[in-house]
C-alpha cells in the first residue's frame, strides 16, 4: 500500500497543506480531489519532522524519498538532523534556521547541503521551511518544501 493511502498520513497531508496556507498565506498546490495523493506525487520534495527533542521525520513525498534514496519505512524513523550531520559546519546553520522558523512561523529561501542514504550530497535551495500547526495553534512539527536541487560531487 502506498503511504498516502493510510488514514493517518492522509490526515497529516491535510495538516501540512492547511498549516502552509495559514502560515504563508499561499496554497501549497491547487485544488485537488485527493489532497494526500496530490502531495505524494507533487514534483517538489516535501518533508516534515515531529516535535521530539531530536525530531524524527514523519512525512516525505515520493520526490523526497527518491532524493534521499530511501523508502518510507526507513525515512520516517530517521532523525532529521541525520540528513545533514555528515556535512561539516551545517548543523549549527540548520539549527539556527529551525529556531528562526519557530519564532517567525516560516523561513523562505532556506538553503543547505543534505546527504542521501547512499552518500549522495546535494544542495537544496529556494526552500520554504514552516511550522506545522493545527487550527488551534498546536505545533506538530516543521516541514520543508524544496524549490531547487543541485547534485554535488
Amino acid at each position: 500500500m502506498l503511504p498516502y493511502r493510510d488514514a493517518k498520513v492522509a490526515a497529516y497531508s491535510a495538516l501540512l497543506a492547511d498549516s502552509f496556507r495559514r502560515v504563508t498565506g499561499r496554497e501549497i498546490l491547487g485544488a485537488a480531489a485527493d489532497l494526500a495523493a496530490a502531495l505524494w506525487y507533487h514534483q517538489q520534495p516535501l518533508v516534515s519532522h515531529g516535535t521530539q527533542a531530536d525530531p524524527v521525520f514523519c512525512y516525505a513525498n515520493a520526490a523526497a524519498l527518491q532524493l534521499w534514496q530511501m523508502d518510507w519505512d526507513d525515512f520516517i524513523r530517521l532523525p532529521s538532523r541525520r540528513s545533514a550531520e555528515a556535512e561539516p559546519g551545517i548543523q549549527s546553520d540548520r539549527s539556527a534556521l529551525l529556531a528562526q522558523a519557530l519564532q517567525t512561523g516560516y523561513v523562505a529561501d532556506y538553503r543547505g547541503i543534505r546527504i542521501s542514504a547512499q552518500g549522495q550530497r546535494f544542495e537544496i535551495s529556494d526552500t520554504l521551511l514552516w511550522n506545522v500547526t493545527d487550527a488551534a495553534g498546536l505545533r506538530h512539527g516543521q516541514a520543508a518544501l524544496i524549490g531547487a536541487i543541485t547534485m554535488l560531487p
Side-chain angles (χ1 to χ4, degrees):
M1 178 170 87
L2 290 168
Y4 73 86
R5 297 271 185 226
D6 179 84
K8 240 174 89 170
V9 175
Y12 195 76
S13 298
L15 183 63
L16 286 169
D18 186 51
S19 65
F20 184 89
R21 182 181 336 95
R22 267 188 280 99
V23 171
T24 68
R26 302 182 347 216
E27 297 292 331
I28 199 165
L29 43 87
D34 184 346
L35 178 63
L39 284 180
W40 176 258
Y41 291 111
H42 191 52
Q43 66 183 358
Q44 288 179 265
L46 172 62
V47 298
S48 181
H49 67 225
T51 59
Q52 305 91 334
D54 186 8
V56 175
F57 283 116
C58 58
Y59 182 87
N61 68 1
L65 294 175
Q66 181 178 358
L67 183 60
W68 265 272
Q69 300 176 314
M70 296 180 82
D71 66 24
W72 173 266
D73 291 329
D74 290 333
F75 195 85
I76 63 166
R77 288 192 293 262
L78 181 69
S80 63
R81 67 173 160 73
R82 291 207 34 225
S83 70
E85 73 180 358
E87 193 63 31
I90 63 171
Q91 274 303 326
S92 61
D93 291 344
R94 180 183 170 278
S95 296
L97 284 167
L98 292 173
Q100 181 183 349
L102 279 175
Q103 292 177 354
T104 62
Y106 74 97
V107 173
D109 290 333
Y110 173 72
R111 71 178 325 128
I113 296 174
R114 298 292 177 266
I115 301 159
S116 78
Q118 305 300 317
Q120 173 66 57
R121 295 171 66 245
F122 56 94
E123 181 178 35
I124 60 172
S125 57
D126 298 326
T127 297
L128 198 143
L129 172 70
W130 79 96
N131 294 326
V132 179
T133 57
D134 61 25
L138 180 64
R139 194 168 65 82
H140 294 265
Q142 291 181 310
L145 181 64
I146 298 169
I149 302 151
T150 304
M151 301 313 278
L152 301 172

